[in-house]
mmCIF file of all heavy atoms in Angstrom:
data_model
loop_
_atom_site.group_PDB
_atom_site.id
_atom_site.type_symbol
_atom_site.label_atom_id
_atom_site.label_comp_id
_atom_site.label_asym_id
_atom_site.label_seq_id
_atom_site.Cartn_x
_atom_site.Cartn_y
_atom_site.Cartn_z
ATOM 1 N N LEU N 3 144.509 102.363 -38.896
ATOM 2 C CA LEU N 3 145.889 101.963 -38.640
ATOM 3 C C LEU N 3 146.370 100.939 -39.669
ATOM 4 O O LEU N 3 147.498 101.026 -40.168
ATOM 5 C CB LEU N 3 146.014 101.385 -37.224
ATOM 6 C CG LEU N 3 147.434 100.987 -36.798
ATOM 7 C CD1 LEU N 3 148.348 102.208 -36.794
ATOM 8 C CD2 LEU N 3 147.423 100.319 -35.430
ATOM 9 N N ALA N 4 145.503 99.977 -40.006
ATOM 10 C CA ALA N 4 145.888 98.943 -40.974
ATOM 11 C C ALA N 4 146.197 99.545 -42.337
ATOM 12 O O ALA N 4 147.184 99.168 -42.989
ATOM 13 C CB ALA N 4 144.773 97.903 -41.101
ATOM 14 N N GLN N 5 145.374 100.491 -42.785
ATOM 15 C CA GLN N 5 145.602 101.108 -44.099
ATOM 16 C C GLN N 5 146.843 101.996 -44.076
ATOM 17 O O GLN N 5 147.597 102.044 -45.058
ATOM 18 C CB GLN N 5 144.369 101.919 -44.515
ATOM 19 C CG GLN N 5 144.420 102.460 -45.926
ATOM 20 C CD GLN N 5 144.498 101.352 -46.978
ATOM 21 O OE1 GLN N 5 143.951 100.265 -46.783
ATOM 22 N NE2 GLN N 5 145.177 101.633 -48.084
ATOM 23 N N ALA N 6 147.065 102.704 -42.971
ATOM 24 C CA ALA N 6 148.259 103.540 -42.855
ATOM 25 C C ALA N 6 149.525 102.683 -42.893
ATOM 26 O O ALA N 6 150.508 103.027 -43.556
ATOM 27 C CB ALA N 6 148.205 104.363 -41.572
ATOM 28 N N LEU N 7 149.499 101.553 -42.195
ATOM 29 C CA LEU N 7 150.633 100.630 -42.230
ATOM 30 C C LEU N 7 150.853 100.079 -43.638
ATOM 31 O O LEU N 7 151.989 99.879 -44.070
ATOM 32 C CB LEU N 7 150.403 99.479 -41.242
ATOM 33 C CG LEU N 7 150.544 99.811 -39.758
ATOM 34 C CD1 LEU N 7 150.054 98.644 -38.904
ATOM 35 C CD2 LEU N 7 151.992 100.149 -39.405
ATOM 36 N N HIS N 8 149.757 99.837 -44.356
ATOM 37 C CA HIS N 8 149.855 99.322 -45.725
ATOM 38 C C HIS N 8 150.543 100.338 -46.636
ATOM 39 O O HIS N 8 151.425 99.983 -47.424
ATOM 40 C CB HIS N 8 148.459 99.002 -46.250
ATOM 41 C CG HIS N 8 148.441 98.367 -47.592
ATOM 42 N ND1 HIS N 8 148.934 97.100 -47.830
ATOM 43 C CD2 HIS N 8 147.996 98.828 -48.806
ATOM 44 C CE1 HIS N 8 148.784 96.790 -49.113
ATOM 45 N NE2 HIS N 8 148.227 97.828 -49.723
ATOM 46 N N PHE N 9 150.139 101.604 -46.528
ATOM 47 C CA PHE N 9 150.776 102.651 -47.327
ATOM 48 C C PHE N 9 152.251 102.807 -46.947
ATOM 49 O O PHE N 9 153.105 102.997 -47.804
ATOM 50 C CB PHE N 9 150.046 103.981 -47.128
ATOM 51 C CG PHE N 9 148.772 104.100 -47.915
ATOM 52 C CD1 PHE N 9 147.839 105.081 -47.610
ATOM 53 C CD2 PHE N 9 148.492 103.238 -48.966
ATOM 54 C CE1 PHE N 9 146.660 105.202 -48.332
ATOM 55 C CE2 PHE N 9 147.317 103.350 -49.692
ATOM 56 C CZ PHE N 9 146.398 104.334 -49.372
ATOM 57 N N GLN N 10 152.524 102.719 -45.659
ATOM 58 C CA GLN N 10 153.902 102.868 -45.202
ATOM 59 C C GLN N 10 154.783 101.730 -45.723
ATOM 60 O O GLN N 10 155.918 101.953 -46.144
ATOM 61 C CB GLN N 10 153.953 102.900 -43.679
ATOM 62 C CG GLN N 10 155.343 103.195 -43.123
ATOM 63 C CD GLN N 10 155.387 103.168 -41.618
ATOM 64 O OE1 GLN N 10 154.900 102.233 -40.994
ATOM 65 N NE2 GLN N 10 155.961 104.198 -41.014
ATOM 66 N N ALA N 11 154.240 100.512 -45.718
ATOM 67 C CA ALA N 11 155.014 99.356 -46.178
ATOM 68 C C ALA N 11 155.336 99.459 -47.662
ATOM 69 O O ALA N 11 156.339 98.899 -48.128
ATOM 70 C CB ALA N 11 154.246 98.067 -45.900
ATOM 71 N N ARG N 12 154.506 100.191 -48.420
ATOM 72 C CA ARG N 12 154.697 100.292 -49.853
ATOM 73 C C ARG N 12 155.431 101.563 -50.280
ATOM 74 O O ARG N 12 155.621 101.782 -51.474
ATOM 75 C CB ARG N 12 153.334 100.216 -50.554
ATOM 76 C CG ARG N 12 153.055 98.799 -50.971
ATOM 77 C CD ARG N 12 151.614 98.422 -50.986
ATOM 78 N NE ARG N 12 151.524 97.034 -51.384
ATOM 79 C CZ ARG N 12 151.926 96.009 -50.614
ATOM 80 N NH1 ARG N 12 152.452 96.242 -49.428
ATOM 81 N NH2 ARG N 12 151.821 94.760 -51.030
ATOM 82 N N GLU N 13 155.816 102.369 -49.337
ATOM 83 C CA GLU N 13 156.554 103.588 -49.663
ATOM 84 C C GLU N 13 158.048 103.282 -49.766
ATOM 85 O O GLU N 13 158.699 102.927 -48.783
ATOM 86 C CB GLU N 13 156.311 104.652 -48.577
ATOM 87 C CG GLU N 13 157.103 105.924 -48.763
ATOM 88 C CD GLU N 13 156.915 106.544 -50.141
ATOM 89 O OE1 GLU N 13 155.774 106.917 -50.479
ATOM 90 O OE2 GLU N 13 157.930 106.629 -50.881
ATOM 91 N N PRO N 14 158.635 103.414 -50.982
ATOM 92 C CA PRO N 14 160.050 103.056 -51.153
ATOM 93 C C PRO N 14 161.025 104.079 -50.566
ATOM 94 O O PRO N 14 162.154 103.740 -50.222
ATOM 95 C CB PRO N 14 160.203 102.974 -52.680
ATOM 96 C CG PRO N 14 159.145 103.891 -53.209
ATOM 97 C CD PRO N 14 157.999 103.809 -52.241
ATOM 98 N N ASP N 15 160.578 105.333 -50.461
ATOM 99 C CA ASP N 15 161.453 106.391 -49.965
ATOM 100 C C ASP N 15 161.467 106.377 -48.435
ATOM 101 O O ASP N 15 160.438 106.605 -47.809
ATOM 102 C CB ASP N 15 160.953 107.752 -50.469
ATOM 103 C CG ASP N 15 161.921 108.884 -50.162
ATOM 104 O OD1 ASP N 15 162.597 108.824 -49.110
ATOM 105 O OD2 ASP N 15 161.994 109.821 -50.957
ATOM 106 N N PRO N 16 162.626 106.119 -47.804
ATOM 107 C CA PRO N 16 162.689 106.044 -46.337
ATOM 108 C C PRO N 16 162.208 107.313 -45.641
ATOM 109 O O PRO N 16 161.544 107.242 -44.603
ATOM 110 C CB PRO N 16 164.174 105.784 -46.053
ATOM 111 C CG PRO N 16 164.700 105.185 -47.308
ATOM 112 C CD PRO N 16 163.932 105.827 -48.415
ATOM 113 N N GLU N 17 162.526 108.485 -46.211
ATOM 114 C CA GLU N 17 162.121 109.739 -45.577
ATOM 115 C C GLU N 17 160.606 109.913 -45.655
ATOM 116 O O GLU N 17 159.971 110.335 -44.685
ATOM 117 C CB GLU N 17 162.829 110.921 -46.241
ATOM 118 C CG GLU N 17 162.605 112.224 -45.487
ATOM 119 C CD GLU N 17 163.513 113.338 -45.977
ATOM 120 O OE1 GLU N 17 164.279 113.096 -46.935
ATOM 121 O OE2 GLU N 17 163.453 114.436 -45.400
ATOM 122 N N LYS N 18 160.018 109.571 -46.814
ATOM 123 C CA LYS N 18 158.564 109.668 -46.945
ATOM 124 C C LYS N 18 157.871 108.601 -46.099
ATOM 125 O O LYS N 18 156.724 108.777 -45.685
ATOM 126 C CB LYS N 18 158.160 109.519 -48.412
ATOM 127 C CG LYS N 18 158.574 110.696 -49.279
ATOM 128 C CD LYS N 18 158.125 110.502 -50.708
ATOM 129 C CE LYS N 18 158.529 111.689 -51.581
ATOM 130 N NZ LYS N 18 158.118 111.489 -52.994
ATOM 131 N N ARG N 19 158.561 107.487 -45.877
ATOM 132 C CA ARG N 19 157.999 106.431 -45.034
ATOM 133 C C ARG N 19 157.942 106.874 -43.580
ATOM 134 O O ARG N 19 157.068 106.468 -42.835
ATOM 135 C CB ARG N 19 158.848 105.164 -45.183
ATOM 136 C CG ARG N 19 158.195 103.914 -44.635
ATOM 137 C CD ARG N 19 158.895 102.664 -45.131
ATOM 138 N NE ARG N 19 160.280 102.622 -44.736
ATOM 139 C CZ ARG N 19 161.313 102.580 -45.573
ATOM 140 N NH1 ARG N 19 161.095 102.593 -46.872
ATOM 141 N NH2 ARG N 19 162.559 102.529 -45.140
ATOM 142 N N GLN N 20 158.887 107.718 -43.181
ATOM 143 C CA GLN N 20 158.914 108.203 -41.810
ATOM 144 C C GLN N 20 157.753 109.160 -41.555
ATOM 145 O O GLN N 20 157.087 109.089 -40.531
ATOM 146 C CB GLN N 20 160.244 108.897 -41.524
ATOM 147 C CG GLN N 20 160.396 109.387 -40.086
ATOM 148 C CD GLN N 20 161.680 110.140 -39.874
ATOM 149 O OE1 GLN N 20 162.276 110.649 -40.818
ATOM 150 N NE2 GLN N 20 162.127 110.217 -38.628
ATOM 151 N N PHE N 21 157.531 110.080 -42.502
ATOM 152 C CA PHE N 21 156.405 111.023 -42.403
ATOM 153 C C PHE N 21 155.491 110.745 -43.584
ATOM 154 O O PHE N 21 155.683 111.275 -44.686
ATOM 155 C CB PHE N 21 156.913 112.464 -42.392
ATOM 156 C CG PHE N 21 157.694 112.814 -41.163
ATOM 157 C CD1 PHE N 21 159.075 112.773 -41.171
ATOM 158 C CD2 PHE N 21 157.042 113.160 -39.985
ATOM 159 C CE1 PHE N 21 159.796 113.089 -40.031
ATOM 160 C CE2 PHE N 21 157.754 113.475 -38.836
ATOM 161 C CZ PHE N 21 159.140 113.438 -38.855
ATOM 162 N N LEU N 22 154.509 109.908 -43.360
ATOM 163 C CA LEU N 22 153.662 109.384 -44.428
ATOM 164 C C LEU N 22 152.569 110.390 -44.789
ATOM 165 O O LEU N 22 151.813 110.845 -43.926
ATOM 166 C CB LEU N 22 153.022 108.072 -43.950
ATOM 167 C CG LEU N 22 152.194 107.294 -44.955
ATOM 168 C CD1 LEU N 22 153.092 106.728 -46.054
ATOM 169 C CD2 LEU N 22 151.454 106.166 -44.245
ATOM 170 N N ARG N 23 152.480 110.743 -46.078
ATOM 171 C CA ARG N 23 151.428 111.655 -46.540
ATOM 172 C C ARG N 23 150.292 110.853 -47.163
ATOM 173 O O ARG N 23 150.520 110.006 -48.028
ATOM 174 C CB ARG N 23 151.983 112.640 -47.572
ATOM 175 C CG ARG N 23 150.926 113.638 -48.075
ATOM 176 C CD ARG N 23 151.535 114.634 -49.045
ATOM 177 N NE ARG N 23 152.486 115.516 -48.384
ATOM 178 C CZ ARG N 23 152.155 116.637 -47.722
ATOM 179 N NH1 ARG N 23 150.888 116.989 -47.630
ATOM 180 N NH2 ARG N 23 153.083 117.379 -47.182
ATOM 181 N N ILE N 24 149.070 111.117 -46.713
ATOM 182 C CA ILE N 24 147.904 110.420 -47.257
ATOM 183 C C ILE N 24 146.850 111.440 -47.670
ATOM 184 O O ILE N 24 146.610 112.429 -46.985
ATOM 185 C CB ILE N 24 147.292 109.428 -46.230
ATOM 186 C CG1 ILE N 24 146.834 110.158 -44.970
ATOM 187 C CG2 ILE N 24 148.263 108.319 -45.890
ATOM 188 C CD1 ILE N 24 146.051 109.293 -44.017
ATOM 189 N N LYS N 25 146.244 111.214 -48.817
ATOM 190 C CA LYS N 25 145.128 112.030 -49.283
ATOM 191 C C LYS N 25 143.842 111.511 -48.649
ATOM 192 O O LYS N 25 143.593 110.307 -48.613
ATOM 193 C CB LYS N 25 145.023 111.951 -50.807
ATOM 194 C CG LYS N 25 146.194 112.573 -51.552
ATOM 195 C CD LYS N 25 146.058 114.070 -51.627
ATOM 196 C CE LYS N 25 147.089 114.675 -52.556
ATOM 197 N NZ LYS N 25 146.931 116.133 -52.697
ATOM 198 N N VAL N 26 143.021 112.435 -48.167
ATOM 199 C CA VAL N 26 141.857 112.061 -47.364
ATOM 200 C C VAL N 26 140.876 111.186 -48.142
ATOM 201 O O VAL N 26 140.516 110.087 -47.695
ATOM 202 C CB VAL N 26 141.141 113.316 -46.824
ATOM 203 C CG1 VAL N 26 139.827 112.925 -46.137
ATOM 204 C CG2 VAL N 26 142.036 114.043 -45.832
ATOM 205 N N LYS N 27 140.414 111.623 -49.306
ATOM 206 C CA LYS N 27 139.375 110.885 -50.033
ATOM 207 C C LYS N 27 139.829 109.501 -50.478
ATOM 208 O O LYS N 27 139.112 108.511 -50.274
ATOM 209 C CB LYS N 27 138.866 111.711 -51.217
ATOM 210 C CG LYS N 27 137.960 112.865 -50.802
ATOM 211 C CD LYS N 27 137.286 113.502 -52.006
ATOM 212 C CE LYS N 27 136.298 114.584 -51.573
ATOM 213 N NZ LYS N 27 135.596 115.204 -52.724
ATOM 214 N N PRO N 28 141.006 109.352 -51.105
ATOM 215 C CA PRO N 28 141.460 108.007 -51.471
ATOM 216 C C PRO N 28 141.653 107.104 -50.251
ATOM 217 O O PRO N 28 141.382 105.906 -50.326
ATOM 218 C CB PRO N 28 142.791 108.257 -52.191
ATOM 219 C CG PRO N 28 142.710 109.660 -52.675
ATOM 220 C CD PRO N 28 141.920 110.388 -51.637
ATOM 221 N N PHE N 29 142.099 107.686 -49.165
ATOM 222 C CA PHE N 29 142.306 106.894 -47.950
ATOM 223 C C PHE N 29 140.972 106.379 -47.417
ATOM 224 O O PHE N 29 140.838 105.198 -47.076
ATOM 225 C CB PHE N 29 143.013 107.730 -46.884
ATOM 226 C CG PHE N 29 143.426 106.945 -45.669
ATOM 227 C CD1 PHE N 29 144.656 106.310 -45.617
ATOM 228 C CD2 PHE N 29 142.580 106.831 -44.576
ATOM 229 C CE1 PHE N 29 145.044 105.571 -44.499
ATOM 230 C CE2 PHE N 29 142.944 106.100 -43.456
ATOM 231 C CZ PHE N 29 144.188 105.472 -43.421
ATOM 232 N N LEU N 30 139.978 107.251 -47.350
ATOM 233 C CA LEU N 30 138.659 106.841 -46.873
ATOM 234 C C LEU N 30 138.049 105.784 -47.792
ATOM 235 O O LEU N 30 137.429 104.825 -47.334
ATOM 236 C CB LEU N 30 137.731 108.052 -46.766
ATOM 237 C CG LEU N 30 138.007 109.011 -45.604
ATOM 238 C CD1 LEU N 30 137.186 110.283 -45.745
ATOM 239 C CD2 LEU N 30 137.696 108.335 -44.264
ATOM 240 N N ALA N 31 138.234 105.964 -49.111
ATOM 241 C CA ALA N 31 137.711 104.983 -50.059
ATOM 242 C C ALA N 31 138.365 103.623 -49.852
ATOM 243 O O ALA N 31 137.714 102.581 -49.973
ATOM 244 C CB ALA N 31 137.943 105.465 -51.490
ATOM 245 N N ALA N 32 139.659 103.624 -49.505
ATOM 246 C CA ALA N 32 140.392 102.369 -49.317
ATOM 247 C C ALA N 32 139.910 101.590 -48.104
ATOM 248 O O ALA N 32 140.092 100.375 -48.036
ATOM 249 C CB ALA N 32 141.889 102.652 -49.184
ATOM 250 N N ILE N 33 139.276 102.275 -47.148
ATOM 251 C CA ILE N 33 138.756 101.574 -45.971
ATOM 252 C C ILE N 33 137.226 101.474 -46.015
ATOM 253 O O ILE N 33 136.584 101.177 -45.003
ATOM 254 C CB ILE N 33 139.215 102.241 -44.656
ATOM 255 C CG1 ILE N 33 138.729 103.687 -44.555
ATOM 256 C CG2 ILE N 33 140.731 102.182 -44.525
ATOM 257 C CD1 ILE N 33 139.064 104.355 -43.220
ATOM 258 N N GLY N 34 136.651 101.753 -47.197
ATOM 259 C CA GLY N 34 135.221 101.554 -47.385
ATOM 260 C C GLY N 34 134.343 102.633 -46.798
ATOM 261 O O GLY N 34 133.182 102.374 -46.460
ATOM 262 N N ARG N 35 134.848 103.859 -46.695
ATOM 263 C CA ARG N 35 134.060 104.956 -46.135
ATOM 264 C C ARG N 35 133.897 106.084 -47.151
ATOM 265 O O ARG N 35 134.721 106.267 -48.039
ATOM 266 C CB ARG N 35 134.706 105.499 -44.857
ATOM 267 C CG ARG N 35 134.586 104.525 -43.690
ATOM 268 C CD ARG N 35 135.112 105.120 -42.400
ATOM 269 N NE ARG N 35 134.885 104.227 -41.280
ATOM 270 C CZ ARG N 35 133.867 104.298 -40.447
ATOM 271 N NH1 ARG N 35 132.954 105.250 -40.599
ATOM 272 N NH2 ARG N 35 133.738 103.437 -39.451
ATOM 273 N N GLN N 36 132.825 106.855 -46.967
ATOM 274 C CA GLN N 36 132.534 107.963 -47.863
ATOM 275 C C GLN N 36 133.459 109.136 -47.575
ATOM 276 O O GLN N 36 133.897 109.339 -46.444
ATOM 277 C CB GLN N 36 131.074 108.411 -47.701
ATOM 278 C CG GLN N 36 130.054 107.339 -48.049
ATOM 279 C CD GLN N 36 130.119 106.936 -49.517
ATOM 280 O OE1 GLN N 36 130.271 107.790 -50.387
ATOM 281 N NE2 GLN N 36 129.992 105.650 -49.792
ATOM 282 N N GLY N 37 133.743 109.927 -48.619
ATOM 283 C CA GLY N 37 134.677 111.039 -48.476
ATOM 284 C C GLY N 37 134.021 112.369 -48.184
ATOM 285 O O GLY N 37 134.647 113.418 -48.364
ATOM 286 N N GLY N 38 132.762 112.351 -47.733
ATOM 287 C CA GLY N 38 132.062 113.594 -47.405
ATOM 288 C C GLY N 38 132.544 114.200 -46.096
ATOM 289 O O GLY N 38 133.509 113.744 -45.480
ATOM 290 N N LYS N 39 131.838 115.240 -45.655
ATOM 291 C CA LYS N 39 132.248 115.966 -44.447
ATOM 292 C C LYS N 39 132.271 115.064 -43.226
ATOM 293 O O LYS N 39 133.208 115.115 -42.423
ATOM 294 C CB LYS N 39 131.297 117.143 -44.204
ATOM 295 C CG LYS N 39 131.682 117.981 -42.987
ATOM 296 C CD LYS N 39 130.737 119.153 -42.806
ATOM 297 C CE LYS N 39 131.134 119.966 -41.578
ATOM 298 N NZ LYS N 39 130.211 121.119 -41.373
ATOM 299 N N SER N 40 131.233 114.231 -43.056
ATOM 300 C CA SER N 40 131.177 113.357 -41.881
ATOM 301 C C SER N 40 132.328 112.356 -41.896
ATOM 302 O O SER N 40 132.923 112.056 -40.850
ATOM 303 C CB SER N 40 129.840 112.614 -41.822
ATOM 304 O OG SER N 40 129.668 111.795 -42.965
ATOM 305 N N GLY N 41 132.677 111.841 -43.096
ATOM 306 C CA GLY N 41 133.791 110.911 -43.206
ATOM 307 C C GLY N 41 135.114 111.574 -42.873
ATOM 308 O O GLY N 41 135.973 110.982 -42.208
ATOM 309 N N ARG N 42 135.286 112.813 -43.340
ATOM 310 C CA ARG N 42 136.529 113.536 -43.062
ATOM 311 C C ARG N 42 136.680 113.828 -41.577
ATOM 312 O O ARG N 42 137.780 113.701 -41.012
ATOM 313 C CB ARG N 42 136.567 114.840 -43.869
ATOM 314 C CG ARG N 42 136.587 114.625 -45.388
ATOM 315 C CD ARG N 42 136.985 115.896 -46.109
ATOM 316 N NE ARG N 42 136.063 116.996 -45.845
ATOM 317 C CZ ARG N 42 134.981 117.275 -46.568
ATOM 318 N NH1 ARG N 42 134.661 116.495 -47.602
ATOM 319 N NH2 ARG N 42 134.219 118.304 -46.274
ATOM 320 N N GLU N 43 135.576 114.220 -40.926
ATOM 321 C CA GLU N 43 135.629 114.484 -39.487
ATOM 322 C C GLU N 43 135.877 113.199 -38.704
ATOM 323 O O GLU N 43 136.603 113.206 -37.694
ATOM 324 C CB GLU N 43 134.323 115.141 -39.030
ATOM 325 C CG GLU N 43 134.165 116.582 -39.475
ATOM 326 C CD GLU N 43 135.281 117.483 -38.964
ATOM 327 O OE1 GLU N 43 135.662 117.359 -37.789
ATOM 328 O OE2 GLU N 43 135.793 118.292 -39.769
ATOM 329 N N TRP N 44 135.270 112.117 -39.157
ATOM 330 C CA TRP N 44 135.491 110.830 -38.485
ATOM 331 C C TRP N 44 136.958 110.426 -38.561
ATOM 332 O O TRP N 44 137.537 109.956 -37.569
ATOM 333 C CB TRP N 44 134.615 109.757 -39.128
ATOM 334 C CG TRP N 44 134.911 108.389 -38.589
ATOM 335 C CD1 TRP N 44 134.373 107.795 -37.485
ATOM 336 C CD2 TRP N 44 135.864 107.459 -39.126
ATOM 337 N NE1 TRP N 44 134.930 106.547 -37.285
ATOM 338 C CE2 TRP N 44 135.839 106.322 -38.271
ATOM 339 C CE3 TRP N 44 136.715 107.457 -40.225
ATOM 340 C CZ2 TRP N 44 136.649 105.206 -38.506
ATOM 341 C CZ3 TRP N 44 137.520 106.363 -40.454
ATOM 342 C CH2 TRP N 44 137.483 105.243 -39.600
ATOM 343 N N LEU N 45 137.584 110.613 -39.720
ATOM 344 C CA LEU N 45 138.990 110.246 -39.883
ATOM 345 C C LEU N 45 139.868 111.065 -38.938
ATOM 346 O O LEU N 45 140.790 110.525 -38.307
ATOM 347 C CB LEU N 45 139.426 110.466 -41.328
ATOM 348 C CG LEU N 45 140.904 110.189 -41.631
ATOM 349 C CD1 LEU N 45 141.280 108.760 -41.281
ATOM 350 C CD2 LEU N 45 141.210 110.479 -43.100
ATOM 351 N N LYS N 46 139.599 112.356 -38.820
ATOM 352 C CA LYS N 46 140.394 113.191 -37.921
ATOM 353 C C LYS N 46 140.228 112.734 -36.473
ATOM 354 O O LYS N 46 141.206 112.667 -35.714
ATOM 355 C CB LYS N 46 139.990 114.657 -38.065
ATOM 356 C CG LYS N 46 140.824 115.613 -37.222
ATOM 357 C CD LYS N 46 140.500 117.066 -37.509
ATOM 358 C CE LYS N 46 141.026 117.490 -38.854
ATOM 359 N NZ LYS N 46 140.855 118.968 -39.089
ATOM 360 N N ASP N 47 138.998 112.396 -36.084
ATOM 361 C CA ASP N 47 138.759 111.904 -34.722
ATOM 362 C C ASP N 47 139.497 110.597 -34.476
ATOM 363 O O ASP N 47 140.047 110.372 -33.393
ATOM 364 C CB ASP N 47 137.263 111.709 -34.478
ATOM 365 C CG ASP N 47 136.531 113.022 -34.241
ATOM 366 O OD1 ASP N 47 137.207 114.019 -33.915
ATOM 367 O OD2 ASP N 47 135.296 113.048 -34.381
#
C-alpha cells in the first residue's frame, strides 16, 4: 500500500492517478522483494 501510494502521489496525470498502472518486477524490487514466481503470487495475494 505504501509503495502504491508513493507511485500515485508522483503521477502527474489525474486520469492515470485514478487507475494506477504498476509493473510487477520494478514494484517488487521497490519493496525489497524478488520478482520470481513466488514474489509475483505473493503480490497478487
Side-chain angles (χ1 to χ4, degrees):
L3 183 62
Q5 187 62 32
L7 287 170
H8 185 67
F9 281 164
Q10 186 182 49
R12 265 149 181 70
E13 176 54 62
D15 188 327
E17 189 169 2
K18 291 181 180 179
R19 194 165 60 241
Q20 183 184 22
F21 293 97
L22 185 68
R23 181 177 293 276
I24 60 172
K25 294 280 189 177
V26 173
K27 286 190 176 181
F29 188 88
L30 287 170
I33 61 175
R35 289 185 175 264
Q36 298 296 319
K39 182 179 179 180
S40 61
R42 296 195 300 270
E43 288 301 317
W44 173 87
L45 177 58
K46 183 173 288 187
D47 284 341

